[in-house]
Amino acid sequence: MYRKSINFLFWGLCLLLGITACNSPLKVAKKSYNRAEYQKAIGQLKELLNTGEDKAEINGLIAESYRRSNRMKEAEAYYKAALDANSNND
């Protein structure tokens, strides 16, 4: 009985960790972007800039979020950063 309980807890924990890993911060930010929640997406994406995520993609999404919310002046710097990050990856 004790062994079954431990086995159940182990597999339950593995399942829970697997489900949580599917919602990476970048995926959460992309969901906000796709729902047209641009201000929310901008905040989430800016938090990801100092992580190991793809800076070109993140800056591009921030730029598009600003553009789609009619803030072209703010978008400009992030478009440039996206292009710079992309050229550094080549």
Side-chain angles (χ1 to χ4, degrees), residues 39-83:
Q39 189 57 45
K40 185 176 179 181
I42 289 167
Q44 293 166 333
L45 290 161
K46 282 185 176 181
E47 288 180 15
L48 294 174
L49 281 175
N50 294 324
T51 65
E53 300 283 348
D54 182 6
K55 290 189 186 307
E57 180 180 17
I58 293 169
N59 280 309
L61 286 169
I62 293 171
E64 280 294 293
S65 295
Y66 276 126
R67 183 187 68 82
R68 288 175 179 236
S69 57
N70 294 319
R71 295 182 278 175
M72 301 302 266
K73 192 133 183 107
E74 290 93 338
E76 185 178 348
Y78 288 97
Y79 279 124
K80 182 176 179 348
L83 289 172

